[in-house]
Amino acid sequence: MKVCVLGSGSGGNATLIESRGVRVLVDAGFSGIELERRLAAIDVAPASLSGIVLTHDHRDHSMGVGIFARRHGLPIFVTEATRVACRALLSGAEELVRFEAGRPFQVAGRLGLRVDPFVTVHDAADPMAVIVACATNGTRVGIATDLGRSTAGIRHALSGCDFLILEANHCKLMLGGSRYPASVKQRIASSHGHLSNEDAAQLALELLHPRLAGILLAHLSRECNRPELARTVVGAALHRAGYRGFLDVAPQDRPTEIIDIEALRLRAGPEQLTLL
């Protein structure tokens, strides 16, 4: 199973998941042209995708969903509340496949990718996070950004994932000293806003298990965080817990490398496999 975050942050979010020739895009928060450009940068043709899974309506996750789906004939997997909130982006010509939290669905048939959606805490119409799993070998990728807080349900859903994409949105000190209006600061730091670096570190610790091959931090604020800071805060906590696996930060302005999860697991070796 392979993962590539095409970009992550308030300027746009989209993640490519691939397993055994089946590809799905989770979110489409860039323009149609920009999505095409970023896919071309990793040598992926839009026509090779099997669909787009939309986690919520905020424009940094949904901006290009309608035009990109229409242009390339891709189904959009979406909850009804999110569809209504995104109606300005949709022409009615798209193929829409409704899903609900707690009801797994398949992309590209029973041998394709299984998507397990679950509710998150965020100020969107119907915010979801997802587990995308290979139907044949069970490898699981958890994608959870835009989290106001970690709940028992979120932790349960993400437990046992082979790879995690987790939000590390802001540094609390940088947010407090930023030029944002007080109302914006309160929203970001609220239980329906975004996770801080320290929150991300705590969530990562709670999700550690011996087969976890890697963690990618995502949705960093340009104004209130720095990649090296997020990596240091989360990495220090993980290191103290004995984790020696992959940890990196997804940039906003370009795709990550294509991450092969099984290759990460082999690279980590016996020490990581016997963690905890």
Side-chain angles (χ1 to χ4, degrees):
M1 200 165 187
K2 297 178 181 179
V3 179
C4 177
V5 174
L6 301 183
S8 186
S10 58
N13 296 270
T15 299
L16 178 73
I17 309 287
E18 177 181 350
S19 181
R20 300 178 183 269
V22 177
R23 291 167 167 162
V24 67
L25 201 61
V26 178
D27 289 331
F30 300 97
S31 70
I33 291 174
E34 183 63 13
L35 286 167
E36 291 168 355
R37 187 186 72 80
R38 293 189 183 220
L39 286 169
I42 59 170
D43 199 26
V44 170
S48 71
L49 300 176
S50 294
I52 305 167
V53 177
L54 195 58
T55 63
H56 64 288
D57 58 287
H58 288 170
R59 289 300 183 262
D60 58 329
H61 291 258
S62 65
M63 178 189 295
V65 66
I67 190 168
F68 189 78
R70 292 191 298 272
R71 187 177 294 162
H72 300 290
L74 302 175
I76 302 171
F77 298 84
V78 62
T79 70
E80 177 59 17
T82 297
R83 180 200 68 78
V84 171
C86 290
R87 57 188 177 275
L89 300 173
L90 304 172
S91 71
E94 304 84 2
E95 177 187 353
L96 301 180
V97 182
R98 309 299 201 281
F99 70 83
E100 299 176 7
R103 293 180 176 272
F105 59 90
Q106 297 290 136
V107 177
R110 67 181 185 84
L111 296 181
L113 292 167
R114 171 188 166 110
V115 180
D116 292 325
F118 58 96
V119 174
T120 64
V121 186
H122 192 54
D123 56 358
D126 194 14
M128 298 283 159
V130 295
I131 308 294
V132 182
C134 175
T136 53
N137 66 20
T139 299
R140 302 170 76 238
V141 176
I143 305 175
T145 62
D146 296 72
L147 301 177
R149 66 181 185 275
S150 168
T151 65
I154 289 170
R155 294 190 296 273
H156 175 74
L158 292 172
S159 64
C161 282
D162 298 272
F163 191 87
L164 292 166
I165 300 173
L166 298 179
E167 175 176 65
N169 177 258
H170 62 277
C171 163
K172 293 178 180 179
L173 289 176
M174 290 179 69
L175 177 62
S178 71
R179 293 177 291 180
Y180 285 144
S183 60
V184 175
K185 293 180 184 180
Q186 290 169 1
R187 174 201 169 257
I188 292 171
S190 76
S191 62
H192 286 71
H194 294 278
L195 294 187
S196 68
N197 292 335
E198 292 78 10
D199 295 331
Q202 182 59 40
L203 178 56
L205 287 175
E206 292 169 338
L207 295 175
L208 281 183
H209 65 91
R211 285 185 56 80
L212 180 62
I215 299 173
L216 191 63
L217 304 178
H219 216 302
L220 271 68
S221 167
R222 283 177 171 169
E223 293 76 18
C224 301
N225 211 351
R226 298 289 181 271
E228 62 275 12
L229 180 58
R231 188 184 293 108
T232 296
V233 171
V234 178
L238 291 172
H239 192 271
R240 288 193 297 269
Y243 179 75
R244 301 293 184 267
F246 173 92
L247 176 67
D248 206 350
V249 177
Q252 174 71 95
D253 59 348
R254 65 187 185 280
T256 64
E257 63 177 318
I258 297 176
I259 301 167
D260 186 316
I261 295 171
E262 190 56 35
L264 283 185
R265 200 189 312 284
L266 293 173
R267 189 190 313 168
E271 181 181 0
Q272 178 63 20
L273 290 174
T274 57
L275 175 69
L276 308 178

